[in-house]
Amino acid sequence: MLLQTQSLATHFAPSLTFSKPITKTQFTPPKPNPFRQSLFRALKCSLSVVLEPMHLELRRNKPFPAEVSRTIMELASVGTLSTLTEENWPLGIGVRFAVDEEGTPVLCLNASNRQFSIDKRSSLHVQQLEQCGLRTTQCTIQGSLDKPEDRMVLKCIGCFLNRFWMYWVVGIQSSGDERRFGLESCSTMFDVDFMAGEGQLSFEGLDPFLHDVSLLSVECWLSFNQLHSLWKKRFGEEVDEDLIYVVAVERVLQIENFEDCVWVTSSDYKNAQPDPLRDFAEKLVNDINTNNMEDVNRFCNIYVDLDFQVSEAKVIWVDRLGFDMRLFSPQKGVFEARVPFPSEVMDEKGAKSTFNCMSQLAWEVEKNFHVLDFQKVKQLKQIS
């Protein structure tokens, strides 16, 4: 869908106006003062005024598909996991999930749901709630379903590091039997005491092999506990480590309103950031459609170039770069238009302030208090 990318930043650009015409002025050099010698020499200079052009560099007025997918994954907590069973039949089940800082899905699968084959290729389909009841956005993540870390390997490294840390770093004098790093003598204190001490652990001066093993163990331990924290933050409950799985993202299919499909690479998905307005976008849209319908209808005439009469208009979603509108016309049908913000907004206060400024400008243009000196949105997407 092509969208108008003309920036509205020129709405708020200061204009140069003169109350009186500029006339040439004759400058008479001052008479020399015989009793004072000037320490300054006369300087020759010129003054030029350059008016900035009204057109600005075109910028993207809509988030990239990777950003939309990351936003969907942040807002949703339930999806459909599909993979192959041992009988080579496709199976889709409903699952709950959380995501880490790179958007990797973290799942909790109970025993009855773990009916998967050796082939770990899978897909996780996530559908965001309908936007204003008019549009549905969704994405499907393709990747490999696996445990975040092999539990036995993690515990072995943890026990080894626990005994090594207690004996060599802390300096606990252990008996000969306890000095052995065998698994049979390793306690489970690693799970509780490893990060209990204050400050940071230091592995300087260690044998290179032991240094690498120590850092690897710390990294594994922190990564595994991060998954616990993510799950508890989203669902407010603890999770059994035996039930945790992750989907290593290989590519993402971003779908808008069951029509427009775009493939997103794994790197683009991981490097993208979810929209900063996502947590209050729905509330902001509802407030606008409830309390500012007059402004929304005015936007159709001021910011969108239409050749037909609109009977009803609604804002269906808002993000950091602008908002989407659904336009209803008895003669022409239903259309969707994208209206960009004058500049990027990063929080709820900025979004509200920008909307109010655009509402004020639209009113001034409608009342002929302000000249329409910007290009209207021309690209519309017909829905029906």
PDB file of all heavy atoms in Angstrom, residues 4 6-12 54-55 298-305 339-340 357-358 361-366 370-378:
ATOM      1  N   GLN A   4       1.145   8.432   1.469  1.00  0.00           N
ATOM      2  CA  GLN A   4       1.754   9.735   1.276  1.00  0.00           C
ATOM      3  C   GLN A   4       2.791   9.970   2.351  1.00  0.00           C
ATOM      4  O   GLN A   4       2.525   9.808   3.530  1.00  0.00           O
ATOM      5  CB  GLN A   4       0.675  10.827   1.345  1.00  0.00           C
ATOM      6  CG  GLN A   4       1.228  12.229   1.191  1.00  0.00           C
ATOM      7  CD  GLN A   4       1.830  12.440  -0.169  1.00  0.00           C
ATOM      8  OE1 GLN A   4       1.363  11.874  -1.126  1.00  0.00           O
ATOM      9  NE2 GLN A   4       2.858  13.249  -0.272  1.00  0.00           N
ATOM     10  N   GLN A   6       4.647  12.866   2.622  1.00  0.00           N
ATOM     11  CA  GLN A   6       4.945  14.283   2.819  1.00  0.00           C
ATOM     12  C   GLN A   6       4.889  14.614   4.288  1.00  0.00           C
ATOM     13  O   GLN A   6       3.937  14.341   4.975  1.00  0.00           O
ATOM     14  CB  GLN A   6       3.942  15.146   2.049  1.00  0.00           C
ATOM     15  CG  GLN A   6       4.053  16.630   2.342  1.00  0.00           C
ATOM     16  CD  GLN A   6       5.378  17.193   1.875  1.00  0.00           C
ATOM     17  OE1 GLN A   6       5.878  16.811   0.845  1.00  0.00           O
ATOM     18  NE2 GLN A   6       5.949  18.092   2.632  1.00  0.00           N
ATOM     19  N   SER A   7       5.936  15.218   4.786  1.00  0.00           N
ATOM     20  CA  SER A   7       5.986  15.580   6.200  1.00  0.00           C
ATOM     21  C   SER A   7       5.089  16.766   6.472  1.00  0.00           C
ATOM     22  O   SER A   7       4.955  17.675   5.654  1.00  0.00           O
ATOM     23  CB  SER A   7       7.427  15.919   6.598  1.00  0.00           C
ATOM     24  OG  SER A   7       7.462  16.459   7.885  1.00  0.00           O
ATOM     25  N   LEU A   8       4.487  16.725   7.650  1.00  0.00           N
ATOM     26  CA  LEU A   8       3.656  17.859   8.062  1.00  0.00           C
ATOM     27  C   LEU A   8       4.433  18.823   8.930  1.00  0.00           C
ATOM     28  O   LEU A   8       3.870  19.696   9.561  1.00  0.00           O
ATOM     29  CB  LEU A   8       2.438  17.346   8.846  1.00  0.00           C
ATOM     30  CG  LEU A   8       1.492  16.412   8.080  1.00  0.00           C
ATOM     31  CD1 LEU A   8       0.343  16.003   8.979  1.00  0.00           C
ATOM     32  CD2 LEU A   8       0.973  17.087   6.837  1.00  0.00           C
ATOM     33  N   ALA A   9       5.736  18.647   8.977  1.00  0.00           N
ATOM     34  CA  ALA A   9       6.538  19.500   9.843  1.00  0.00           C
ATOM     35  C   ALA A   9       6.459  20.961   9.432  1.00  0.00           C
ATOM     36  O   ALA A   9       6.670  21.856  10.241  1.00  0.00           O
ATOM     37  CB  ALA A   9       7.999  19.032   9.835  1.00  0.00           C
ATOM     38  N   THR A  10       6.142  21.207   8.181  1.00  0.00           N
ATOM     39  CA  THR A  10       6.066  22.597   7.740  1.00  0.00           C
ATOM     40  C   THR A  10       4.885  23.325   8.349  1.00  0.00           C
ATOM     41  O   THR A  10       4.815  24.541   8.296  1.00  0.00           O
ATOM     42  CB  THR A  10       5.955  22.649   6.210  1.00  0.00           C
ATOM     43  OG1 THR A  10       4.861  21.809   5.810  1.00  0.00           O
ATOM     44  CG2 THR A  10       7.225  22.127   5.551  1.00  0.00           C
ATOM     45  N   HIS A  11       3.984  22.596   8.948  1.00  0.00           N
ATOM     46  CA  HIS A  11       2.846  23.283   9.585  1.00  0.00           C
ATOM     47  C   HIS A  11       3.317  24.191  10.691  1.00  0.00           C
ATOM     48  O   HIS A  11       2.757  25.233  10.966  1.00  0.00           O
ATOM     49  CB  HIS A  11       1.892  22.246  10.179  1.00  0.00           C
ATOM     50  CG  HIS A  11       1.250  21.393   9.135  1.00  0.00           C
ATOM     51  ND1 HIS A  11       0.394  20.369   9.430  1.00  0.00           N
ATOM     52  CD2 HIS A  11       1.351  21.414   7.784  1.00  0.00           C
ATOM     53  CE1 HIS A  11      -0.015  19.789   8.312  1.00  0.00           C
ATOM     54  NE2 HIS A  11       0.563  20.404   7.312  1.00  0.00           N
ATOM     55  N   PHE A  12       4.321  23.750  11.380  1.00  0.00           N
ATOM     56  CA  PHE A  12       4.744  24.456  12.572  1.00  0.00           C
ATOM     57  C   PHE A  12       6.019  25.248  12.347  1.00  0.00           C
ATOM     58  O   PHE A  12       6.633  25.722  13.282  1.00  0.00           O
ATOM     59  CB  PHE A  12       4.951  23.451  13.716  1.00  0.00           C
ATOM     60  CG  PHE A  12       3.747  22.582  13.945  1.00  0.00           C
ATOM     61  CD1 PHE A  12       3.697  21.297  13.425  1.00  0.00           C
ATOM     62  CD2 PHE A  12       2.660  23.056  14.648  1.00  0.00           C
ATOM     63  CE1 PHE A  12       2.585  20.504  13.624  1.00  0.00           C
ATOM     64  CE2 PHE A  12       1.552  22.262  14.845  1.00  0.00           C
ATOM     65  CZ  PHE A  12       1.518  20.986  14.336  1.00  0.00           C
ATOM     66  N   MET A  54       9.953  25.216   1.391  1.00  0.00           N
ATOM     67  CA  MET A  54       8.816  24.682   2.124  1.00  0.00           C
ATOM     68  C   MET A  54       8.798  23.168   2.101  1.00  0.00           C
ATOM     69  O   MET A  54       8.205  22.540   2.945  1.00  0.00           O
ATOM     70  CB  MET A  54       7.513  25.215   1.525  1.00  0.00           C
ATOM     71  CG  MET A  54       7.343  26.711   1.701  1.00  0.00           C
ATOM     72  SD  MET A  54       7.435  27.204   3.434  1.00  0.00           S
ATOM     73  CE  MET A  54       5.993  26.385   4.079  1.00  0.00           C
ATOM     74  N   HIS A  55       9.452  22.556   1.111  1.00  0.00           N
ATOM     75  CA  HIS A  55       9.455  21.106   1.082  1.00  0.00           C
ATOM     76  C   HIS A  55      10.624  20.589   1.913  1.00  0.00           C
ATOM     77  O   HIS A  55      11.720  21.144   1.892  1.00  0.00           O
ATOM     78  CB  HIS A  55       9.576  20.600  -0.362  1.00  0.00           C
ATOM     79  CG  HIS A  55      10.888  20.944  -1.011  1.00  0.00           C
ATOM     80  ND1 HIS A  55      11.111  22.147  -1.615  1.00  0.00           N
ATOM     81  CD2 HIS A  55      12.039  20.228  -1.125  1.00  0.00           C
ATOM     82  CE1 HIS A  55      12.344  22.178  -2.099  1.00  0.00           C
ATOM     83  NE2 HIS A  55      12.936  21.024  -1.803  1.00  0.00           N
ATOM     84  N   ARG A 298     -12.857  16.615  10.614  1.00  0.00           N
ATOM     85  CA  ARG A 298     -12.179  17.755   9.976  1.00  0.00           C
ATOM     86  C   ARG A 298     -10.866  17.308   9.343  1.00  0.00           C
ATOM     87  O   ARG A 298     -10.449  17.855   8.312  1.00  0.00           O
ATOM     88  CB  ARG A 298     -11.935  18.852  11.016  1.00  0.00           C
ATOM     89  CG  ARG A 298     -11.376  20.142  10.428  1.00  0.00           C
ATOM     90  CD  ARG A 298     -11.204  21.217  11.475  1.00  0.00           C
ATOM     91  NE  ARG A 298     -12.498  21.677  11.967  1.00  0.00           N
ATOM     92  CZ  ARG A 298     -12.925  21.519  13.227  1.00  0.00           C
ATOM     93  NH1 ARG A 298     -12.158  20.878  14.108  1.00  0.00           N
ATOM     94  NH2 ARG A 298     -14.094  21.979  13.608  1.00  0.00           N
ATOM     95  N   PHE A 299     -10.199  16.348   9.952  1.00  0.00           N
ATOM     96  CA  PHE A 299      -8.946  15.838   9.389  1.00  0.00           C
ATOM     97  C   PHE A 299      -9.153  15.307   7.966  1.00  0.00           C
ATOM     98  O   PHE A 299      -8.270  15.413   7.114  1.00  0.00           O
ATOM     99  CB  PHE A 299      -8.391  14.713  10.265  1.00  0.00           C
ATOM    100  CG  PHE A 299      -7.700  15.204  11.510  1.00  0.00           C
ATOM    101  CD1 PHE A 299      -7.647  16.542  11.820  1.00  0.00           C
ATOM    102  CD2 PHE A 299      -7.110  14.304  12.383  1.00  0.00           C
ATOM    103  CE1 PHE A 299      -7.013  17.004  12.963  1.00  0.00           C
ATOM    104  CE2 PHE A 299      -6.469  14.738  13.521  1.00  0.00           C
ATOM    105  CZ  PHE A 299      -6.423  16.093  13.822  1.00  0.00           C
ATOM    106  N   CYS A 300     -10.312  14.715   7.712  1.00  0.00           N
ATOM    107  CA  CYS A 300     -10.587  14.167   6.377  1.00  0.00           C
ATOM    108  C   CYS A 300     -10.546  15.251   5.315  1.00  0.00           C
ATOM    109  O   CYS A 300     -10.079  15.013   4.188  1.00  0.00           O
ATOM    110  CB  CYS A 300     -11.954  13.482   6.362  1.00  0.00           C
ATOM    111  SG  CYS A 300     -12.107  12.112   7.519  1.00  0.00           S
ATOM    112  N   ASN A 301     -11.025  16.421   5.637  1.00  0.00           N
ATOM    113  CA  ASN A 301     -11.088  17.515   4.669  1.00  0.00           C
ATOM    114  C   ASN A 301      -9.788  18.302   4.580  1.00  0.00           C
ATOM    115  O   ASN A 301      -9.466  18.854   3.528  1.00  0.00           O
ATOM    116  CB  ASN A 301     -12.234  18.473   5.021  1.00  0.00           C
ATOM    117  CG  ASN A 301     -13.588  17.786   5.025  1.00  0.00           C
ATOM    118  OD1 ASN A 301     -13.854  16.925   4.182  1.00  0.00           O
ATOM    119  ND2 ASN A 301     -14.444  18.158   5.970  1.00  0.00           N
ATOM    120  N   ILE A 302      -9.044  18.363   5.675  1.00  0.00           N
ATOM    121  CA  ILE A 302      -7.856  19.213   5.726  1.00  0.00           C
ATOM    122  C   ILE A 302      -6.592  18.446   5.360  1.00  0.00           C
ATOM    123  O   ILE A 302      -5.763  18.922   4.569  1.00  0.00           O
ATOM    124  CB  ILE A 302      -7.708  19.849   7.116  1.00  0.00           C
ATOM    125  CG1 ILE A 302      -8.968  20.648   7.459  1.00  0.00           C
ATOM    126  CG2 ILE A 302      -6.477  20.741   7.163  1.00  0.00           C
ATOM    127  CD1 ILE A 302      -9.304  21.739   6.475  1.00  0.00           C
ATOM    128  N   TYR A 303      -6.419  17.255   5.901  1.00  0.00           N
ATOM    129  CA  TYR A 303      -5.166  16.520   5.710  1.00  0.00           C
ATOM    130  C   TYR A 303      -5.228  15.463   4.609  1.00  0.00           C
ATOM    131  O   TYR A 303      -4.183  14.960   4.191  1.00  0.00           O
ATOM    132  CB  TYR A 303      -4.745  15.854   7.022  1.00  0.00           C
ATOM    133  CG  TYR A 303      -4.375  16.836   8.104  1.00  0.00           C
ATOM    134  CD1 TYR A 303      -5.089  16.904   9.297  1.00  0.00           C
ATOM    135  CD2 TYR A 303      -3.304  17.710   7.936  1.00  0.00           C
ATOM    136  CE1 TYR A 303      -4.745  17.802  10.294  1.00  0.00           C
ATOM    137  CE2 TYR A 303      -2.958  18.616   8.918  1.00  0.00           C
ATOM    138  CZ  TYR A 303      -3.678  18.659  10.103  1.00  0.00           C
ATOM    139  OH  TYR A 303      -3.340  19.559  11.069  1.00  0.00           O
ATOM    140  N   VAL A 304      -6.410  15.119   4.171  1.00  0.00           N
ATOM    141  CA  VAL A 304      -6.557  14.086   3.144  1.00  0.00           C
ATOM    142  C   VAL A 304      -7.213  14.697   1.915  1.00  0.00           C
ATOM    143  O   VAL A 304      -8.205  15.429   2.019  1.00  0.00           O
ATOM    144  CB  VAL A 304      -7.395  12.897   3.667  1.00  0.00           C
ATOM    145  CG1 VAL A 304      -7.439  11.782   2.622  1.00  0.00           C
ATOM    146  CG2 VAL A 304      -6.821  12.368   4.981  1.00  0.00           C
ATOM    147  N   ASP A 305      -6.655  14.387   0.756  1.00  0.00           N
ATOM    148  CA  ASP A 305      -7.181  14.915  -0.498  1.00  0.00           C
ATOM    149  C   ASP A 305      -8.271  13.959  -0.999  1.00  0.00           C
ATOM    150  O   ASP A 305      -7.984  12.887  -1.540  1.00  0.00           O
ATOM    151  CB  ASP A 305      -6.051  15.023  -1.531  1.00  0.00           C
ATOM    152  CG  ASP A 305      -6.484  15.753  -2.784  1.00  0.00           C
ATOM    153  OD1 ASP A 305      -7.628  16.258  -2.813  1.00  0.00           O
ATOM    154  OD2 ASP A 305      -5.693  15.810  -3.742  1.00  0.00           O
ATOM    155  N   VAL A 339      -2.199   9.276   8.065  1.00  0.00           N
ATOM    156  CA  VAL A 339      -1.874  10.683   8.298  1.00  0.00           C
ATOM    157  C   VAL A 339      -0.627  10.741   9.179  1.00  0.00           C
ATOM    158  O   VAL A 339      -0.661  10.287  10.326  1.00  0.00           O
ATOM    159  CB  VAL A 339      -3.038  11.430   8.974  1.00  0.00           C
ATOM    160  CG1 VAL A 339      -2.665  12.892   9.205  1.00  0.00           C
ATOM    161  CG2 VAL A 339      -4.296  11.333   8.116  1.00  0.00           C
ATOM    162  N   PRO A 340       0.484  11.281   8.687  1.00  0.00           N
ATOM    163  CA  PRO A 340       1.718  11.305   9.479  1.00  0.00           C
ATOM    164  C   PRO A 340       1.723  12.434  10.497  1.00  0.00           C
ATOM    165  O   PRO A 340       1.075  13.474  10.313  1.00  0.00           O
ATOM    166  CB  PRO A 340       2.801  11.514   8.419  1.00  0.00           C
ATOM    167  CG  PRO A 340       2.107  12.285   7.339  1.00  0.00           C
ATOM    168  CD  PRO A 340       0.692  11.799   7.319  1.00  0.00           C
ATOM    169  N   CYS A 357      -2.195  19.930  18.463  1.00  0.00           N
ATOM    170  CA  CYS A 357      -1.655  20.937  17.552  1.00  0.00           C
ATOM    171  C   CYS A 357      -2.209  20.753  16.142  1.00  0.00           C
ATOM    172  O   CYS A 357      -2.555  21.734  15.462  1.00  0.00           O
ATOM    173  CB  CYS A 357      -0.128  20.853  17.530  1.00  0.00           C
ATOM    174  SG  CYS A 357       0.683  21.409  19.051  1.00  0.00           S
ATOM    175  N   MET A 358      -2.307  19.511  15.707  1.00  0.00           N
ATOM    176  CA  MET A 358      -2.855  19.244  14.380  1.00  0.00           C
ATOM    177  C   MET A 358      -4.332  19.604  14.320  1.00  0.00           C
ATOM    178  O   MET A 358      -4.824  20.099  13.292  1.00  0.00           O
ATOM    179  CB  MET A 358      -2.648  17.777  14.023  1.00  0.00           C
ATOM    180  CG  MET A 358      -1.188  17.372  13.877  1.00  0.00           C
ATOM    181  SD  MET A 358      -0.969  15.618  13.469  1.00  0.00           S
ATOM    182  CE  MET A 358      -1.671  15.567  11.817  1.00  0.00           C
ATOM    183  N   LEU A 361      -4.518  23.430  14.008  1.00  0.00           N
ATOM    184  CA  LEU A 361      -4.164  23.869  12.667  1.00  0.00           C
ATOM    185  C   LEU A 361      -5.282  23.564  11.676  1.00  0.00           C
ATOM    186  O   LEU A 361      -5.595  24.388  10.803  1.00  0.00           O
ATOM    187  CB  LEU A 361      -2.864  23.189  12.230  1.00  0.00           C
ATOM    188  CG  LEU A 361      -2.382  23.519  10.827  1.00  0.00           C
ATOM    189  CD1 LEU A 361      -2.079  25.011  10.685  1.00  0.00           C
ATOM    190  CD2 LEU A 361      -1.158  22.691  10.469  1.00  0.00           C
ATOM    191  N   ALA A 362      -5.883  22.388  11.791  1.00  0.00           N
ATOM    192  CA  ALA A 362      -6.979  22.036  10.882  1.00  0.00           C
ATOM    193  C   ALA A 362      -8.142  23.001  11.046  1.00  0.00           C
ATOM    194  O   ALA A 362      -8.780  23.404  10.057  1.00  0.00           O
ATOM    195  CB  ALA A 362      -7.430  20.601  11.153  1.00  0.00           C
ATOM    196  N   TRP A 363      -8.438  23.401  12.266  1.00  0.00           N
ATOM    197  CA  TRP A 363      -9.526  24.351  12.512  1.00  0.00           C
ATOM    198  C   TRP A 363      -9.191  25.708  11.901  1.00  0.00           C
ATOM    199  O   TRP A 363     -10.051  26.362  11.287  1.00  0.00           O
ATOM    200  CB  TRP A 363      -9.753  24.487  14.011  1.00  0.00           C
ATOM    201  CG  TRP A 363     -10.867  25.417  14.369  1.00  0.00           C
ATOM    202  CD1 TRP A 363     -12.198  25.136  14.453  1.00  0.00           C
ATOM    203  CD2 TRP A 363     -10.725  26.817  14.693  1.00  0.00           C
ATOM    204  NE1 TRP A 363     -12.910  26.256  14.805  1.00  0.00           N
ATOM    205  CE2 TRP A 363     -12.031  27.316  14.961  1.00  0.00           C
ATOM    206  CE3 TRP A 363      -9.649  27.691  14.788  1.00  0.00           C
ATOM    207  CZ2 TRP A 363     -12.259  28.629  15.317  1.00  0.00           C
ATOM    208  CZ3 TRP A 363      -9.884  29.018  15.139  1.00  0.00           C
ATOM    209  CH2 TRP A 363     -11.182  29.468  15.391  1.00  0.00           C
ATOM    210  N   GLU A 364      -7.945  26.169  12.038  1.00  0.00           N
ATOM    211  CA  GLU A 364      -7.544  27.457  11.485  1.00  0.00           C
ATOM    212  C   GLU A 364      -7.610  27.446   9.961  1.00  0.00           C
ATOM    213  O   GLU A 364      -8.005  28.439   9.337  1.00  0.00           O
ATOM    214  CB  GLU A 364      -6.129  27.801  11.960  1.00  0.00           C
ATOM    215  CG  GLU A 364      -6.033  28.078  13.452  1.00  0.00           C
ATOM    216  CD  GLU A 364      -4.616  28.401  13.882  1.00  0.00           C
ATOM    217  OE1 GLU A 364      -3.719  28.401  13.006  1.00  0.00           O
ATOM    218  OE2 GLU A 364      -4.400  28.650  15.083  1.00  0.00           O
ATOM    219  N   VAL A 365      -7.218  26.332   9.358  1.00  0.00           N
ATOM    220  CA  VAL A 365      -7.302  26.232   7.901  1.00  0.00           C
ATOM    221  C   VAL A 365      -8.756  26.235   7.450  1.00  0.00           C
ATOM    222  O   VAL A 365      -9.123  26.892   6.464  1.00  0.00           O
ATOM    223  CB  VAL A 365      -6.576  24.963   7.409  1.00  0.00           C
ATOM    224  CG1 VAL A 365      -6.829  24.751   5.909  1.00  0.00           C
ATOM    225  CG2 VAL A 365      -5.086  25.055   7.685  1.00  0.00           C
ATOM    226  N   GLU A 366      -9.599  25.532   8.169  1.00  0.00           N
ATOM    227  CA  GLU A 366     -11.018  25.478   7.812  1.00  0.00           C
ATOM    228  C   GLU A 366     -11.677  26.843   7.921  1.00  0.00           C
ATOM    229  O   GLU A 366     -12.532  27.203   7.098  1.00  0.00           O
ATOM    230  CB  GLU A 366     -11.727  24.471   8.715  1.00  0.00           C
ATOM    231  CG  GLU A 366     -13.194  24.263   8.385  1.00  0.00           C
ATOM    232  CD  GLU A 366     -13.858  23.305   9.348  1.00  0.00           C
ATOM    233  OE1 GLU A 366     -13.963  23.653  10.552  1.00  0.00           O
ATOM    234  OE2 GLU A 366     -14.268  22.219   8.916  1.00  0.00           O
ATOM    235  N   HIS A 370      -5.618  30.363   8.466  1.00  0.00           N
ATOM    236  CA  HIS A 370      -4.290  29.874   8.105  1.00  0.00           C
ATOM    237  C   HIS A 370      -4.350  29.348   6.681  1.00  0.00           C
ATOM    238  O   HIS A 370      -5.298  28.656   6.301  1.00  0.00           O
ATOM    239  CB  HIS A 370      -3.843  28.758   9.065  1.00  0.00           C
ATOM    240  CG  HIS A 370      -2.396  28.387   8.935  1.00  0.00           C
ATOM    241  ND1 HIS A 370      -1.902  27.642   7.874  1.00  0.00           N
ATOM    242  CD2 HIS A 370      -1.328  28.662   9.721  1.00  0.00           C
ATOM    243  CE1 HIS A 370      -0.597  27.477   8.026  1.00  0.00           C
ATOM    244  NE2 HIS A 370      -0.229  28.080   9.141  1.00  0.00           N
ATOM    245  N   VAL A 371      -3.333  29.689   5.894  1.00  0.00           N
ATOM    246  CA  VAL A 371      -3.297  29.266   4.501  1.00  0.00           C
ATOM    247  C   VAL A 371      -2.887  27.794   4.439  1.00  0.00           C
ATOM    248  O   VAL A 371      -1.980  27.354   5.151  1.00  0.00           O
ATOM    249  CB  VAL A 371      -2.305  30.127   3.689  1.00  0.00           C
ATOM    250  CG1 VAL A 371      -2.248  29.658   2.240  1.00  0.00           C
ATOM    251  CG2 VAL A 371      -2.707  31.595   3.765  1.00  0.00           C
ATOM    252  N   LEU A 372      -3.550  27.061   3.592  1.00  0.00           N
ATOM    253  CA  LEU A 372      -3.199  25.657   3.403  1.00  0.00           C
ATOM    254  C   LEU A 372      -1.913  25.595   2.595  1.00  0.00           C
ATOM    255  O   LEU A 372      -1.928  25.674   1.359  1.00  0.00           O
ATOM    256  CB  LEU A 372      -4.335  24.924   2.700  1.00  0.00           C
ATOM    257  CG  LEU A 372      -4.329  23.393   2.764  1.00  0.00           C
ATOM    258  CD1 LEU A 372      -5.729  22.855   2.552  1.00  0.00           C
ATOM    259  CD2 LEU A 372      -3.382  22.796   1.751  1.00  0.00           C
ATOM    260  N   ASP A 373      -0.779  25.490   3.262  1.00  0.00           N
ATOM    261  CA  ASP A 373       0.534  25.552   2.615  1.00  0.00           C
ATOM    262  C   ASP A 373       1.267  24.216   2.703  1.00  0.00           C
ATOM    263  O   ASP A 373       2.492  24.170   2.715  1.00  0.00           O
ATOM    264  CB  ASP A 373       1.389  26.653   3.244  1.00  0.00           C
ATOM    265  CG  ASP A 373       1.518  26.502   4.750  1.00  0.00           C
ATOM    266  OD1 ASP A 373       0.907  25.558   5.293  1.00  0.00           O
ATOM    267  OD2 ASP A 373       2.234  27.299   5.376  1.00  0.00           O
ATOM    268  N   PHE A 374       0.532  23.131   2.798  1.00  0.00           N
ATOM    269  CA  PHE A 374       1.152  21.811   2.851  1.00  0.00           C
ATOM    270  C   PHE A 374       0.423  20.888   1.882  1.00  0.00           C
ATOM    271  O   PHE A 374      -0.710  21.153   1.463  1.00  0.00           O
ATOM    272  CB  PHE A 374       1.108  21.229   4.266  1.00  0.00           C
ATOM    273  CG  PHE A 374      -0.270  21.210   4.870  1.00  0.00           C
ATOM    274  CD1 PHE A 374      -1.158  20.168   4.626  1.00  0.00           C
ATOM    275  CD2 PHE A 374      -0.695  22.250   5.687  1.00  0.00           C
ATOM    276  CE1 PHE A 374      -2.419  20.152   5.175  1.00  0.00           C
ATOM    277  CE2 PHE A 374      -1.968  22.244   6.241  1.00  0.00           C
ATOM    278  CZ  PHE A 374      -2.827  21.195   5.982  1.00  0.00           C
ATOM    279  N   GLN A 375       1.093  19.825   1.524  1.00  0.00           N
ATOM    280  CA  GLN A 375       0.512  18.876   0.596  1.00  0.00           C
ATOM    281  C   GLN A 375      -0.335  17.859   1.352  1.00  0.00           C
ATOM    282  O   GLN A 375       0.091  17.279   2.341  1.00  0.00           O
ATOM    283  CB  GLN A 375       1.619  18.142  -0.181  1.00  0.00           C
ATOM    284  CG  GLN A 375       1.087  17.241  -1.286  1.00  0.00           C
ATOM    285  CD  GLN A 375       2.207  16.631  -2.100  1.00  0.00           C
ATOM    286  OE1 GLN A 375       3.373  16.881  -1.822  1.00  0.00           O
ATOM    287  NE2 GLN A 375       1.853  15.846  -3.096  1.00  0.00           N
ATOM    288  N   LYS A 376      -1.528  17.614   0.862  1.00  0.00           N
ATOM    289  CA  LYS A 376      -2.424  16.669   1.505  1.00  0.00           C
ATOM    290  C   LYS A 376      -2.029  15.229   1.190  1.00  0.00           C
ATOM    291  O   LYS A 376      -1.315  14.947   0.222  1.00  0.00           O
ATOM    292  CB  LYS A 376      -3.869  16.914   1.048  1.00  0.00           C
ATOM    293  CG  LYS A 376      -4.477  18.228   1.506  1.00  0.00           C
ATOM    294  CD  LYS A 376      -5.943  18.306   1.098  1.00  0.00           C
ATOM    295  CE  LYS A 376      -6.611  19.554   1.622  1.00  0.00           C
ATOM    296  NZ  LYS A 376      -8.072  19.580   1.288  1.00  0.00           N
ATOM    297  N   VAL A 377      -2.518  14.327   2.014  1.00  0.00           N
ATOM    298  CA  VAL A 377      -2.330  12.901   1.774  1.00  0.00           C
ATOM    299  C   VAL A 377      -3.180  12.494   0.580  1.00  0.00           C
ATOM    300  O   VAL A 377      -4.388  12.737   0.541  1.00  0.00           O
ATOM    301  CB  VAL A 377      -2.733  12.080   3.011  1.00  0.00           C
ATOM    302  CG1 VAL A 377      -2.703  10.593   2.718  1.00  0.00           C
ATOM    303  CG2 VAL A 377      -1.832  12.419   4.197  1.00  0.00           C
ATOM    304  N   LYS A 378      -2.558  11.897  -0.407  1.00  0.00           N
ATOM    305  CA  LYS A 378      -3.270  11.557  -1.642  1.00  0.00           C
ATOM    306  C   LYS A 378      -3.520  10.059  -1.795  1.00  0.00           C
ATOM    307  O   LYS A 378      -4.432   9.660  -2.539  1.00  0.00           O
ATOM    308  CB  LYS A 378      -2.470  12.053  -2.855  1.00  0.00           C
ATOM    309  CG  LYS A 378      -2.332  13.580  -2.907  1.00  0.00           C
ATOM    310  CD  LYS A 378      -1.579  14.004  -4.158  1.00  0.00           C
ATOM    311  CE  LYS A 378      -1.473  15.516  -4.238  1.00  0.00           C
ATOM    312  NZ  LYS A 378      -2.797  16.155  -4.387  1.00  0.00           N
TER     313      LYS A 378
END
